[in-house]
Amino acid sequence: MKFLAITLIMHRPDPVTGVLKPTHERFREVLDNALLAEELGFDGFGVGERHERPFISSSPTVVLSHVAALTRRIRLFTAVTTLSLLDPVRAYEDYATLDHLSEGRLDLIIGKGNGAAQRELFQVTPEDQWDRNAESYEVFRRIWRQDKVTAATRFRPPLRDAEVWPRPYQQPIRVWHGSATSKESVDLAARYGDPLFSANVTHPIEPYAELIRHYRERWAHYGHDPADIAIGAGSAGIHVAPTSQQALAAYRPVFEANLAFYRQAGLPVVFETLEDFVERSSALIGSPQQVVDKVHRYHEQFGHTVLHLPADAGGPTGTQHRDSLELFQSAVAPVLRKDIPDPPFAWAPVLPASPTAQERAHV
């Protein structure tokens, strides 16, 4: 099993202290967390993309480029790239450049994105968002694979023998499809034989397990080999401590502050108590053995081989969060790596092909 640390770069007051960090300091924290993830042995570090409050992750390519310059080993993920809001040509240019700068350490997780405010910002409607996502991905995918692209697009000007530069480093890049509730995203992933990443953070296990079963059914429908399936899954929170009592005590003020925030903001509350949150959500809160057991329970339903954890402290102090991640890597990850297989593909960069004729002509 592989492990990612992921941040959506949420920027709101600390749920326990009420202190709002300056924007500059919040970005510095993201970079520090990326360095910590590489230091502790995580396999990937992901940055989300949102274009509305309380997030400041509107430019993941810029953030990941800086992370690429600071790190050497860890793979870089988007979580997610909101292709329904983006011009696929411009998105390709940004991510192909980032892939070169990171020497092929980039994976994409794409999705339509959530939030009414960012839809309004980009003049995207709920009715056309899925179609935009599918069209953008199909064009993006073709640009990555073809030197010239012709496409009769609906949501951007058509392409006629278009050349887009730079040509890619990884050929092709791996693209995961992020899915929270949508069968459309699942079907798009299965159609192209791409891996799926289940959000798995808001609800109990059942709706996510149902979507993953649907993915497997559609994968077979499109004629792909079941042995090639790769699934990732998220987690709603983490705090690993030597005992369950210590973990619950450390996380309780965080849960209660978040619960108060959801109620004040009029957001739906799924888990009313910390005990229910620990039992029925995907949060990994407890002793190392409890966390191992919980990941195994989810693996029985999902068959996932990649797990993402929150990169941000999100309430616990920085020291508490680091201690938790260190304990996860020393006492939890080795067990799960032994018990659960890796994805059915190499984690290393895809070796670049020889330069194309167009590239040689421009040297």
Side-chain angles (χ1 to χ4, degrees), residues 24-70:
H24 175 80
E25 185 176 335
R26 182 68 182 97
F27 278 123
R28 182 68 250 177
E29 185 178 58
V30 171
L31 301 178
D32 290 342
N33 287 340
L35 290 169
L36 176 63
E38 179 161 91
E39 175 191 335
L40 295 181
F42 279 86
D43 303 290
F45 184 82
V47 173
E49 179 183 343
R50 298 292 290 268
H51 300 268
E52 60 185 340
R53 293 183 181 181
F55 304 95
I56 52 173
S57 52
S58 57
S59 299
T61 49
V62 177
V63 177
L64 286 172
S65 290
H66 199 146
V67 172
L70 295 174

Side-chain angles (χ1 to χ4, degrees), residues 113-130:
N114 294 309
Q118 63 181 10
R119 281 200 305 267
E120 293 172 4
L121 185 65
F122 288 90
Q123 298 185 331
V124 173
T125 69
E127 291 75 25
D128 67 20
Q129 196 167 14
W130 293 115

Side-chain angles (χ1 to χ4, degrees), residues 11-301:
H11 190 225
R12 67 179 179 91
D14 184 283
V16 177
T17 67
V19 174
L20 179 65
K21 294 179 179 178
T23 299
H24 175 80
E25 185 176 335
R26 182 68 182 97
F27 278 123
R28 182 68 250 177
E29 185 178 58
V30 171
L31 301 178
D32 290 342
N33 287 340
L35 290 169
L36 176 63
E38 179 161 91
E39 175 191 335
L40 295 181
F42 279 86
D43 303 290
F45 184 82
V47 173
E49 179 183 343
R50 298 292 290 268
H51 300 268
E52 60 185 340
R53 293 183 181 181
F55 304 95
I56 52 173
S57 52
S58 57
S59 299
T61 49
V62 177
V63 177
L64 286 172
S65 290
H66 199 146
V67 172
L70 295 174
T71 58
R72 291 293 177 266
R73 176 195 58 80
I74 200 166
R75 288 196 69 78
L76 310 175
F77 281 73
T78 62
V80 300
T81 296
T82 52
L83 278 182
S84 66
L85 309 179
L86 306 179
D87 181 329
V89 175
R90 192 69 183 96
Y92 166 83
E93 292 172 335
D94 286 344
Y95 283 110
T97 300
L98 171 56
D99 198 40
H100 277 279
L101 294 175
S102 67
E103 298 186 334
R105 288 190 282 143
L106 180 64
D107 274 45
L108 295 183
I109 307 176
I110 69 160
K112 71 170 182 62
N114 294 309
Q118 63 181 10
R119 281 200 305 267
E120 293 172 4
L121 185 65
F122 288 90
Q123 298 185 331
V124 173
T125 69
E127 291 75 25
D128 67 20
Q129 196 167 14
W130 293 115
D131 291 339
R132 287 176 179 272
N133 186 63
E135 178 182 288
S136 290
Y137 177 55
E138 288 161 0
V139 172
F140 182 95
R141 179 185 176 89
R142 288 180 58 191
I143 294 173
W144 205 284
R145 288 165 170 78
Q146 300 172 16
D147 291 333
K148 293 185 178 181
V149 173
T150 297
T153 49
R154 289 175 56 200
F155 300 108
R156 59 145 290 126
L159 299 173
R160 296 181 181 87
D161 288 331
E163 298 180 3
V164 188
W165 299 89
R167 297 312 300 147
Y169 184 79
Q170 291 189 99
Q171 299 192 12
I173 193 172
R174 182 175 302 113
V175 177
W176 304 68
H177 294 249
S179 173
T181 59
S182 163
K183 288 187 175 180
E184 287 90 343
S185 292
V186 166
D187 188 81
L188 189 65
R191 185 190 321 165
Y192 285 107
D194 293 331
L196 180 73
F197 219 108
S198 173
N200 190 40
V201 296
T202 306
H203 302 286
I205 193 172
E206 290 80 10
Y208 304 114
E210 181 181 350
L211 274 179
I212 289 172
R213 288 193 293 270
H214 181 69
Y215 170 66
R216 293 181 182 276
E217 291 168 2
R218 299 306 293 170
W219 183 277
H221 169 80
Y222 289 115
H224 304 303
D225 187 344
D228 293 334
I229 284 179
I231 295 169
S235 56
I238 184 170
H239 192 76
V240 189
T243 69
S244 60
Q245 292 83 2
Q246 289 172 300
L248 289 171
Y251 206 84
R252 189 173 300 279
V254 179
F255 175 83
E256 292 177 350
N258 284 332
L259 183 63
F261 171 81
Y262 296 149
R263 286 176 171 159
Q264 183 178 6
L267 299 173
V269 174
V270 179
F271 307 102
E272 295 280 353
T273 68
L274 174 60
E275 287 72 19
D276 188 38
F277 180 65
V278 171
E279 175 62 28
R280 294 195 305 122
S281 83
S282 62
L284 303 176
I285 300 168
S287 68
Q289 187 59 54
Q290 287 174 312
V291 171
V292 167
D293 292 343
K294 189 168 196 177
V295 175
H296 272 293
R297 290 201 306 272
Y298 271 76
H299 179 71
E300 289 172 3
Q301 294 285 323

